[in-house]
Amino acid sequence: MLTESTDVLVIGAGPAGTVAASIVNKAGFKVQIVEKMKFPRFVIGESLLPRCMEALEEAGFLDAVKEKKFQEKFGAKIVKNGQVCDFQFASQFTPGWTWTWQVPRADFDKTLADTVENMGVPVRYESSVTAIEFHGSDSVTTVEDAHGVKSQIKARFIIDGSGYGRVIPKLFNLDRPSNLPSRKALFTHTVDTKRSLSDEPNRITIVVHKPGVWIWIIPFSMGITSLGFVGDPEFFKSMSGTPEEQLRQLIAADSYLSERFHAVDFVFEPKVLESWSSTTDRFFGDGFVLTGNVTEFLDPVFSSGVTLAVASSQMAAKLVIEKLKGRAVDWESEYMRPMMQGVDTFRSYVMAWYEGTLDTIFFAQDRDELIKSQICSVLAGYVWDMSNPYVKHHKTALQRLATLITFNERESRRERRAS
């Protein structure tokens, strides 16, 4: 069996894997990527957050991505029953990037993978990891290619950015149930001929369809728009027919969507994704670190997936470099705790979204601009800024704010009736 050696083996050629591989490679270490799929390949997670830009910049990817002329994204719009809450990243509380992109992930991911390959990092596509043996922090990984040919890769360290594949958690029984309820998404790409009439060309739009059910609208730069419904699986059971027939029924039933998307062509048969939330009880071990969706995937509502993927890889890659240089890395305090801060912040916002707490905040009659800017920073991905009270106190701040808004609005209605 052919055996190769490298300093760092990266599993997965998505954003998590390529960001990590580039940063380690730039530090002068030998890196190799193995990827199960053939690129380009479809995946969701198409609306990036500004915090992603810091990782893409450090990895050296920005110029290559800019050349693709993806749709620039400057904010997010939330719509409910004709009411609009508009967030512009330029007004966020946390200093940082104020824009990013909306991307067809097949093109975006291939751009990153091609760029890291041009930097000298070999990428082995259609190669599945079938076994890993650890000897301290050293490892021997068995890989099988598309023709069934097996080979081995010796590495001083492994970065697992395998996303939904969750290679190391599955091989070593690290997966644990998420505390988030199961949800389902029905989605496609549409030929968006009426986009010129719309008012959200440079931002994602999230529509509250009914309690617990929401819609994403993500325009791309080439006249295609990603459109999806997300909700409790029970919501979709009331509909019959093919996925396309179901999605067209949903479009027709929503006043915000019906004019723009009635009878549009679908680029592909609508897809279904459900029960995606997953987690693991630890993000590291002797000889490996987990990054991206391998650590925990929450929910698509606030586009946290790619942000957590690239931010975790950015952080992990620099710690791997330190370890390879001989420093003792405290993975618990230097990696897992900071990552859990970000994950838990997003988790609080996801739960507040489905519970209706954020509805109360987003559509309040009188909105405090400072608070709005602080929440905007979270929606921009700056979930590690502990000077932001809506990050530092994420578990309680949203509920307190919603309670105060509800009280003030009730008192205001009472005063109006009295007068």
Side-chain angles (χ1 to χ4, degrees):
M1 187 183 300
L2 176 66
T3 300
E4 302 177 64
S5 295
T6 189
D7 291 317
V8 177
L9 173 64
V10 175
I11 305 174
T18 52
V19 164
S22 175
I23 292 173
V24 174
N25 177 67
K26 287 167 66 175
F29 293 98
K30 188 177 179 182
V31 187
Q32 185 170 155
I33 299 176
V34 293
E35 165 59 49
K36 183 177 182 179
M37 305 296 290
K38 180 180 180 180
F39 277 26
R41 54 88 177 92
F42 178 85
V43 67
I44 63 167
E46 301 156 326
S47 188
L48 309 185
L49 301 183
R51 174 60 179 82
C52 296
M53 305 295 273
E54 296 180 14
L56 296 177
E57 182 177 40
E58 184 165 358
F61 292 156
L62 283 184
D63 288 343
V65 179
K66 286 178 181 177
E67 287 180 5
K68 301 297 289 187
K69 300 187 183 303
F70 292 123
Q71 175 63 59
E72 293 180 345
K73 172 185 174 183
F74 296 96
K77 184 173 76 170
I78 321 294
V79 178
K80 179 183 180 182
N81 298 330
Q83 301 177 81
V84 174
C85 180
D86 205 352
F87 289 94
Q88 296 292 327
F89 296 138
S91 64
Q92 68 192 24
F93 173 80
T94 306
W97 286 81
T98 58
W99 68 278
T100 184
W101 287 289
Q102 296 176 165
V103 296
R105 283 288 302 279
D107 294 340
F108 177 73
D109 289 15
K110 190 172 189 304
T111 298
L112 302 192
D114 288 348
T115 303
V116 80
E117 201 164 15
N118 290 336
M119 293 174 175
V121 176
V123 182
R124 294 172 54 174
Y125 292 103
E126 298 182 278
S127 298
S128 300
V129 173
T130 60
I132 303 174
E133 295 181 8
F134 285 102
H135 308 280
S137 59
D138 293 338
S139 60
V140 178
T141 298
T142 302
V143 178
E144 183 175 337
D145 68 17
H147 305 288
V149 178
K150 292 185 177 182
S151 60
Q152 291 186 325
I153 303 173
K154 294 181 178 180
R156 297 170 61 191
F157 207 87
I158 296 176
I159 299 175
D160 186 351
S162 57
Y164 297 119
R166 306 183 65 78
V167 170
I168 286 180
K170 287 181 178 178
L171 285 177
F172 295 93
N173 194 32
L174 301 180
D175 273 335
R176 298 292 179 267
S178 171
N179 67 345
L180 292 172
S182 175
R183 307 199 192 279
K184 178 178 177 177
L186 176 65
F187 58 94
T188 189
H189 287 174
T190 71
V191 179
D192 197 355
T193 57
K194 296 184 180 179
R195 181 179 171 189
S196 60
L197 303 178
S198 70
D199 61 349
E200 67 278 344
N202 58 4
R203 57 190 166 182
I204 186 174
T205 296
I206 296 174
V207 182
V208 180
H209 180 66
K210 58 173 58 180
V213 181
W214 61 278
I215 305 157
W216 78 65
I217 304 172
I218 306 173
F220 301 135
S221 59
M222 70 291 199
I224 302 296
T225 290
S226 180
L227 175 67
F229 279 74
V230 182
D232 188 290
E234 290 297 319
F235 167 73
F236 295 92
K237 288 182 179 180
S238 62
M239 294 175 293
S240 59
T242 66
E244 177 170 349
E245 289 169 341
Q246 291 179 20
L247 188 54
R248 292 197 185 278
Q249 289 173 37
L250 288 169
I251 290 171
D254 190 275
S255 59
Y256 188 85
L257 300 182
S258 57
E259 180 181 354
R260 179 173 171 186
F261 294 104
H262 174 69
V264 297
D265 291 331
F266 292 165
V267 177
F268 53 79
E269 174 76 10
K271 300 176 183 290
V272 172
L273 180 66
E274 60 183 314
S275 301
W276 50 68
S277 298
S278 56
T279 188
T280 182
D281 57 2
R282 57 192 177 106
F283 296 176
F284 63 91
D286 287 343
F288 74 87
V289 62
L290 310 180
T291 67
N293 291 345
V294 189
T295 59
E296 180 158 3
F297 182 72
L298 296 170
D299 192 273
V301 65
F302 296 122
S303 307
S304 62
V306 177
T307 298
L308 292 174
V310 297
S312 63
S313 288
Q314 181 186 23
M315 187 185 306
K318 289 186 278 193
L319 292 172
V320 170
I321 292 167
E322 291 296 306
K323 179 173 178 57
L324 294 179
K325 288 180 177 179
R327 182 172 77 81
V329 174
D330 185 342
W331 289 98
E332 177 70 29
S333 64
E334 296 182 68
Y335 181 68
M336 186 158 181
R337 288 179 195 167
M339 279 310 305
M340 286 308 302
Q341 163 63 40
V343 169
D344 287 342
T345 300
F346 272 127
R347 190 200 318 277
S348 291
Y349 279 71
V350 168
M351 295 176 71
W353 170 258
Y354 285 105
E355 291 166 356
T357 303
L358 286 181
D359 270 16
T360 301
I361 295 170
F362 289 163
F363 302 108
Q365 294 174 3
D366 297 309
R367 300 171 192 163
D368 184 291
E369 290 304 314
L370 174 59
I371 292 175
K372 185 177 179 181
S373 73
Q374 291 166 337
I375 292 175
C376 184
S377 288
V378 175
L379 302 185
Y382 287 97
V383 290
W384 291 276
D385 178 9
M386 299 302 283
S387 70
N388 182 347
Y390 287 89
V391 171
K392 185 174 183 179
H393 305 295
H394 59 87
K395 291 183 179 179
T396 56
L398 293 174
Q399 187 59 57
R400 286 200 303 266
L401 177 60
T403 300
L404 179 61
I405 290 171
T406 300
F407 174 80
N408 288 341
E409 291 183 352
R410 185 171 58 244
E411 290 299 302
S412 178
R413 289 192 297 269
R414 184 178 299 166
E415 291 175 3
R416 288 196 300 271
R417 286 195 300 267
S419 63

